[in-house]
Amino acid sequence: MKSILLKLGKLMGVRVLAIVLTFVQTIVMTRVFGSEVFGLLSFGLSISALLILVLSFGLDQVLMRDIARFGKAVAPKTERWTHVWHLIRRWVIPVTLTVAVTGVLVSELTDLAGVYRVSLIGTFLMLPVILFRKYVEAISLGTKQVVRSIIGSQIAYPILMIIGGLSVMALGLGSSAMTVTATYVCAGFGSLIVATLLIYPTFSSLRADGFGARDIVGESPGHRAILTSGGHFALVAFGFILGQHISVLMTGVLAGPEDVALVRIAARVAEMAGLMRTIVLLQYKPLLAEAYGKGDTALLQKHAYFMSKVLTITGVPATLGLWIFADRVMGVFGPEFVDGAWAMRLYVSGVFFLLICGPGSTFLSFCGQEHLASRNLLVSVAIQFVLNLFLIPLFGPEGCAAASCVAMTYLAFSGRRLAIQKVGVDPSIFVIFKKV
């Protein structure tokens, strides 16, 4: 337990730095580019985030789980490993390139993209880059290099965005869809370079041990079964970011760029309440896969016990603080963002329920029940989609946030119920009253 606390402490420091950098990045972007232009980029980023989850086919999570489950010395020599990489070369890469080229052509040659044309062209062009970074960081996490797995996307990326935004202001380039998109493109490429350099030694050893190895051991369930499992992982990955990106997209369609900016900022600030949730999950995902691989339910419950205590002690005060001081927090991004205070409170409420119910979907995903986690998520997506159709036109950002709150609450309670029923583990706050 002491070693886990030390690792969490180190990861906590990096994650706090990441949160601070993201916070500063958002302030710089809103102050330099304004709410409307920032809203244009936000719409494109949400399209990108959701496409990346689909285009990855969840195989990045399959790789991560297999490395953690079998160990980096054994995983590359298994038949599963060979099949996963075959699927990546045969499906992930060509489909991603096709979607990127198609998206650019449709955005450039038709009027479908409307005011979001430039930002969408940039985000479609960056799809292969961001997807590559996602796979690189998944391999880092699978080898339990948790800190390295987040430096590219959560440290280097916001730093480069801050530098880009300040450069636009210093050079007098002006606020436009072109300048904000160019800033994003440069930061995306830079973060990929950083992530790749950090994992290169590990990746080289995996490649040397695994690709083309003749001593392949272990049976694989086959390409179709692996792809199905990966698909469930991709759906599960929608979980915590669901509210932000679905909300941004539907607000962009049903409202306008200014409301998109309010919704994105409100959702991002609310995520700060779940800071330790993200940290704990990063540390424990490979540990859960390892415990499941050993068939050790007692160890899984022990992990749940520790996780629930950390989430309760850190998350609940954070949600209360953000609720009380919502107006002041939103005002930091500019006076026009104060109107999003109640939207932020609703997002924070949804995060609160995710915290007290625990990461049920994560336990399902890494304990062989990813199909249940994805099915549960689809119901949550449907709830949010239907509510957004009615609430956004009526109440704007507040209606969008209310729909997200309801969806997150459903996801939290149903995820806990399924984890208890199917895995035999209670991941919620209530487990602290049980003796493990």
Side-chain angles (χ1 to χ4, degrees):
M1 188 61 69
K2 184 178 180 180
S3 62
I4 292 293
L5 288 173
L6 290 174
K7 290 178 181 178
L8 283 176
K10 181 180 179 181
L11 184 56
M12 175 69 175
V14 177
R15 277 295 295 163
V16 168
L17 175 61
I19 289 292
V20 171
L21 288 172
T22 300
F23 194 73
V24 174
Q25 169 207 328
T26 308
I27 294 174
V28 169
M29 297 299 285
T30 54
R31 294 284 185 173
V32 171
F33 296 103
S35 61
E36 183 175 357
V37 173
F38 180 75
L40 296 175
L41 178 63
S42 297
F43 186 83
L45 292 180
S46 292
I47 289 281
S48 174
L50 296 179
L51 281 176
I52 288 296
L53 291 175
V54 175
L55 294 172
S56 71
F57 287 84
L59 295 178
D60 59 313
Q61 295 299 299
V62 173
L63 278 176
M64 186 272 287
R65 183 179 66 178
D66 286 352
I67 294 172
R69 182 178 177 182
F70 299 110
K72 63 180 181 180
V74 176
K77 299 178 181 179
T78 63
E79 191 177 32
R80 290 176 60 92
W81 181 271
T82 303
H83 285 179
V84 170
W85 282 104
H86 175 77
L87 289 170
I88 291 172
R89 291 191 295 268
R90 182 177 178 181
W91 291 99
V92 175
I93 294 175
V95 171
T96 299
L97 293 175
T98 300
V99 170
V101 172
T102 302
V104 170
L105 292 176
V106 170
S107 299
E108 177 64 29
L109 302 177
T110 73
D111 295 328
L112 292 176
V115 295
Y116 303 105
R117 182 181 68 86
V118 174
S119 61
L120 285 179
I121 289 174
T123 51
F124 275 117
L125 283 172
M126 290 296 291
L127 282 178
V129 173
I130 303 303
L131 186 65
F132 186 19
R133 189 184 70 191
K134 181 178 175 65
Y135 272 87
V136 166
E137 294 183 339
I139 293 174
S140 294
L141 185 57
T143 55
K144 298 181 181 179
Q145 301 178 80
V146 183
V147 172
R148 292 189 180 190
S149 73
I150 66 175
I151 288 179
S153 58
Q154 300 183 35
I155 301 294
Y157 175 75
I159 288 176
L160 292 171
M161 287 290 281
I162 292 169
I163 293 173
L166 294 177
S167 298
V168 168
M169 182 176 64
L171 296 174
L173 298 178
S175 173
S176 67
M178 183 64 71
T179 53
V180 76
T181 302
T183 300
Y184 163 68
V185 169
C186 292
F189 271 110
S191 65
L192 171 61
I193 293 172
V194 171
T196 303
L197 290 175
L198 288 172
I199 192 58
Y200 185 75
T202 300
F203 188 75
S204 296
S205 65
L206 289 171
R207 183 179 180 87
D209 292 340
F211 293 130
R214 296 183 179 179
D215 56 340
I216 293 177
V217 297
E219 295 184 357
S220 170
H223 292 85
R224 179 176 295 182
I226 291 174
L227 200 59
T228 300
S229 179
H232 289 303
F233 267 116
L235 288 173
V236 171
F238 275 94
F240 198 61
I241 67 170
L242 174 66
Q244 175 187 339
H245 294 295
I246 293 293
S247 298
V248 166
L249 292 175
M250 295 194 72
T251 302
V253 173
L254 299 174
E258 294 86 354
D259 285 339
V260 168
L262 287 180
V263 167
R264 182 170 177 84
I265 294 297
R268 292 300 295 270
V269 172
E271 288 179 9
M272 294 173 60
L275 167 62
M276 277 307 298
R277 185 181 190 275
T278 304
I279 294 173
V280 168
L281 290 184
L282 280 171
Q283 185 66 49
Y284 270 90
K285 279 182 178 181
L287 298 180
L288 295 180
E290 185 178 46
Y292 170 70
K294 297 177 181 177
D296 194 339
T297 304
L299 181 57
L300 285 171
Q301 184 62 73
K302 186 176 181 180
H303 289 331
Y305 176 67
F306 181 77
M307 294 167 75
S308 64
K309 289 195 296 184
V310 174
L311 295 181
T312 301
I313 293 171
T314 60
V316 173
T319 57
L320 292 176
L322 288 175
W323 177 279
I324 295 171
F325 299 106
D327 296 89
R328 296 182 183 180
V329 173
M330 291 295 290
V332 171
F333 301 95
E336 67 269 36
F337 288 95
V338 176
D339 291 338
W342 269 106
M344 193 196 84
R345 289 188 176 102
L346 290 168
Y347 279 115
V348 167
S349 299
V351 172
F352 173 80
F353 289 117
L354 286 173
L355 290 172
I356 65 171
C357 288
S361 294
T362 301
F363 273 88
L364 291 170
S365 299
F366 288 88
C367 296
Q369 302 292 329
E370 59 267 25
H371 63 291
L372 292 177
S374 64
R375 187 175 66 186
N376 192 40
L377 178 63
L378 286 175
V379 176
S380 175
V381 171
I383 291 172
Q384 185 172 7
F385 181 82
V386 173
L387 290 177
N388 273 335
L389 289 176
F390 291 98
L391 296 180
I392 291 177
L394 291 174
F395 303 106
E398 289 80 8
C400 183
S404 296
C405 179
V406 173
M408 283 190 281
T409 302
Y410 167 82
L411 190 63
F413 282 99
S414 58
R416 178 196 176 230
R417 175 178 57 82
L418 288 171
I420 294 173
Q421 291 177 353
K422 302 300 181 179
V423 183
V425 172
D426 185 351
S428 74
I429 184 177
F430 305 108
V431 79
I432 67 175
F433 302 109
K434 301 177 182 178
K435 184 177 180 180
V436 179

